[in-house]
Amino acid sequence: NAGVTQTPKFQVLKTGQSMTLQCAQDMNHEYMSWYRQDPGMGLRLIHYSVGAGITDQGEVPNGYNVSRSTTEDFPLRLLSAAPSQTSVYFCASSYVSGGASADTQYFGPGTRLTVL
Amino acid sequence: SQQGEEDPQALSIQEGENATMNCSYKTSINNLQWYRQNSGRGLVHLILIRSNEREKHSGRLRVTLDTSKKSSSLLITASRAADTASYFCATLAGGGNKLTFGTGTQLKVEL
C-alpha cells in the first residue's frame, strides 16, 4: 500500500492564481481531511469528508474548496491564492469506527505552498 | 480555536530520562490521540485513547486520560535521541466529526 500520497511536494504561486492540491489514499478509508500547519499554530482543519459525496467545513475553510467524487481522492482547491495561504498542507485519512469519525489518522507527507 | 493545549511548549532532557507532556482540552470528547512529527515530515500516529478509558500503553509510551479534569498526559520512558520531535494531542469532540489539534510540545533529547 502507498498509504496517503500528496502532490505536489512544493509549489510557488502568485497572488490570485488558483491551483489544486491532490490527495489520494489506497486504504479504503471513509474519512479524509485537509489541514494546514503554520508555525506556532499546530494543525488547523480546513475541510473534511466522511464519505464519497459528503464534505463539510472545518475551522478555516475560507478560500478553499473540496469535493469527494471517489473514496480514494480528496482534492483541495485554492480559488484565488493569497499570501496568507502560505503554509504546509497535510491530507489525512482514517476509518470510521466505534460510532465515531476520525479514528487513527494516516497523514500524507505534506505540500509546502508559498504564495508571493 | 485550538481545542487542545499542550504543556510544556518545549522540553529538553537527557537520553535515558523520562519525558512527560500534558494536554488540556475544553469540551467533552469521544477520543484523544497523540501524534509525533519529525522536523519537515508528516505526522505519525502514536496512540488513541477513548473517553471510557483511563490509561493505555504502547511500548515505551504511556497515555492517561482524566475526563473530569479534561486532561491527558503522554509519558515516554527511557527516552532516546530518536525521540526528538514535536508531539501533538488531538481531540475528537463527542458527537462530532472534527479532529482538533493542539499547538504541540517540542521535545529535544540530548546525548
Side-chain angles (χ1 to χ4, degrees):
Chain A
N1 287 352
V4 179
T5 57
Q6 291 183 239
T7 56
K9 285 187 169 55
F10 301 93
Q11 184 69 50
V12 178
L13 292 177
K14 293 181 179 178
T15 296
Q17 288 185 315
S18 62
M19 79 159 295
T20 299
L21 307 185
Q22 301 292 344
C23 175
Q25 53 91 10
D26 61 358
M27 296 173 281
N28 203 32
H29 285 165
E30 303 98 328
Y31 188 92
M32 295 187 74
S33 55
W34 277 101
Y35 294 88
R36 58 178 289 174
Q37 185 176 31
D38 302 298
M41 295 291 291
L43 276 78
R44 291 183 292 170
L45 181 65
I46 305 172
H47 286 285
Y48 67 96
S49 168
V50 298
I54 306 169
T55 64
D56 206 346
Q57 296 181 349
E59 184 184 356
V60 288
N62 292 342
Y64 307 95
N65 271 358
V66 292
S67 60
R68 183 99 179 267
S69 56
T70 66
T71 299
E72 294 78 18
D73 300 298
F74 192 44
L76 178 72
R77 297 182 188 84
L78 279 69
L79 308 173
S80 178
S84 61
Q85 293 179 304
T86 294
S87 189
V88 181
Y89 291 84
F90 289 101
C91 178
S93 71
S94 74
Y95 290 114
V96 174
S97 67
S101 303
D103 210 282
T104 300
Q105 298 290 301
Y106 294 82
F107 279 84
T111 294
R112 191 173 296 273
L113 175 68
T114 301
V115 182
L116 303 175
Chain B
S1 63
Q2 304 289 150
Q3 158 80 311
E5 294 289 338
E6 287 93 341
D7 172 62
Q9 288 187 325
L11 180 61
S12 182
I13 60 174
Q14 299 293 312
E15 199 172 47
E17 293 181 336
N18 295 342
T20 299
M21 289 159 258
N22 302 297
C23 171
S24 59
Y25 56 92
K26 299 172 185 174
T27 62
S28 64
I29 61 171
N30 180 289
N31 67 56
L32 186 145
Q33 306 174 31
W34 285 92
Y35 291 83
R36 184 188 73 226
Q37 184 181 34
N38 291 92
S39 181
R41 309 293 288 271
L43 280 74
V44 174
H45 175 82
L46 296 176
I47 201 162
L48 180 153
I49 187 165
R50 303 193 188 279
S51 60
N52 60 352
E53 298 174 313
R54 291 297 168 258
E55 186 171 314
K56 286 189 84 169
H57 297 256
S58 177
R60 293 185 295 112
L61 306 180
R62 172 177 168 253
V63 168
T64 60
L65 178 65
D66 186 334
T67 53
S68 66
K69 295 181 179 178
K70 293 187 171 58
S71 67
S72 173
S73 67
L74 170 67
L75 169 67
I76 304 174
T77 60
S79 63
R80 306 165 182 168
D83 294 328
T84 294
S86 292
Y87 292 81
F88 294 89
C89 69
T91 54
L92 180 68
N97 293 321
K98 301 179 184 180
L99 191 64
T100 307
F101 282 79
T103 52
T105 292
Q106 285 187 303
L107 173 65
K108 184 175 182 181
V109 182
E110 299 183 88
L111 296 171

